[in-house]
Amino acid sequence: MEFISPYIVPILQIIWIDLLLSGDNAIVIALACRQLPEKQRKLGMLLGAGTAIGLRIIFAIFVTYLLQVPFLKVVGGLLLLWIGVKLAVGEDDGGHNVESSDNMWRAVRTIAIADAVMSLDNVIAIAAAAGGNIWLFIFGLLLSIPLIIFGSTLLSTIMDRFPIIIWAGAALLGWIAGEMIVSDGFVMEWLRSINAGFITTGSASDGHGGTVAITKPVAAIYYGAAAVGAAVVVAIGYFMKKREAHAG
């Protein structure tokens, strides 16, 4: 029991983080796979979840370097905005002449790109909770697999009955994109050059009993950018849907 007790809190933290962060990935997978034939949908979700975990392992190795790359979050945020629009509109609409297998791999590709954009923050959170323990980190990654698969399966069923959920999911991707863009290091320095009060510094646990400084835009700018991102995805998606309807 003495051997297990030091790991109880990190394990509970990792479980909680997985429950919170797996929702984004489940939404992406459900959106990307919603137009697949029923017999391919579960396989597409499984492959998508596996891709998500694989990307987390890769990012776990390169995360420190990746976070230092200028404009990384800006580029990733813009890419996520476009993915949100495509998923809202329906990438395969009007393309029924494409083979089903191609559609499945296209869905997996979409999942991979979106998850690559969103995985950095998820990896950082799990790594911090693991406190440098590689086995706890692996546990966190493996635990997220069933959570993502179960969540995406449930969301896919709900989307079939309530299409408005598709737009809500696309808006969430836009929200995340807005947060990502405004929290990029270059963007924050630009905001600081305009007004130092636009940036705030707080602290968070480093996973080793200490704290680490966290710099981010003030709440009004941070959540304002997120709201703009969500609105942009919904507005562009709605416009493209209307244009396709008139063209058809």
Side-chain angles (χ1 to χ4, degrees), residues 118-198:
M118 298 189 301
S119 286
L120 285 174
D121 291 342
N122 297 23
V123 168
I124 293 170
I126 294 176
N133 187 307
I134 185 63
W135 297 111
L136 285 176
F137 183 75
I138 292 174
F139 166 77
L141 295 178
L142 294 177
L143 177 64
S144 60
I145 295 177
L147 293 175
I148 291 174
I149 294 176
F150 173 78
S152 57
T153 301
L154 178 62
L155 283 169
S156 179
T157 301
I158 295 175
M159 286 177 185
D160 286 341
R161 296 186 60 184
F162 306 102
I164 188 64
I165 301 297
I166 295 172
W167 289 96
L172 176 61
L173 295 185
W175 181 278
I176 296 171
E179 291 178 337
M180 186 174 296
I181 291 171
V182 80
S183 63
D184 182 84
F186 179 83
V187 174
M188 287 197 295
E189 284 303 315
W190 175 70
L191 290 171
R192 194 196 303 272
S193 69
I194 298 174
N195 187 333
F198 287 164

Side-chain angles (χ1 to χ4, degrees), residues 1-157:
M1 187 66 180
E2 292 182 0
F3 173 77
I4 298 175
S5 58
Y7 299 102
I8 292 178
V9 172
I11 288 175
L12 291 176
Q13 289 176 337
I14 288 171
I15 292 173
W16 181 243
I17 289 170
D18 274 328
L19 287 172
L20 291 176
L21 299 183
S22 296
D24 296 343
N25 305 102
I27 289 173
V28 170
I29 293 173
L31 283 170
C33 295
R34 75 182 192 276
Q35 293 177 324
L36 293 178
E38 185 63 33
K39 61 181 181 181
Q40 290 190 344
R41 188 177 295 181
K42 289 184 178 180
L43 178 59
M45 290 178 176
L46 182 62
L47 291 173
T51 302
I53 301 307
L55 288 169
R56 277 164 178 69
I57 295 174
I58 294 173
F59 283 145
I61 300 173
F62 297 107
V63 66
T64 302
Y65 170 75
L66 287 171
L67 287 176
Q68 296 173 349
V69 178
F71 297 107
L72 175 68
K73 289 188 175 182
V74 173
V75 173
L78 293 175
L79 181 59
L80 196 57
L81 283 174
W82 180 240
I83 291 173
V85 170
K86 294 291 285 182
L87 291 177
V89 173
E91 189 176 41
D92 296 323
D93 287 353
H96 300 293
N97 57 324
V98 181
E99 292 295 327
S100 296
S101 59
D102 293 339
N103 287 347
M104 184 180 70
W105 290 114
R106 184 186 302 173
V108 173
R109 181 195 65 196
T110 300
I111 294 166
I113 295 173
D115 196 77
V117 174
M118 298 189 301
S119 286
L120 285 174
D121 291 342
N122 297 23
V123 168
I124 293 170
I126 294 176
N133 187 307
I134 185 63
W135 297 111
L136 285 176
F137 183 75
I138 292 174
F139 166 77
L141 295 178
L142 294 177
L143 177 64
S144 60
I145 295 177
L147 293 175
I148 291 174
I149 294 176
F150 173 78
S152 57
T153 301
L154 178 62
L155 283 169
S156 179
T157 301

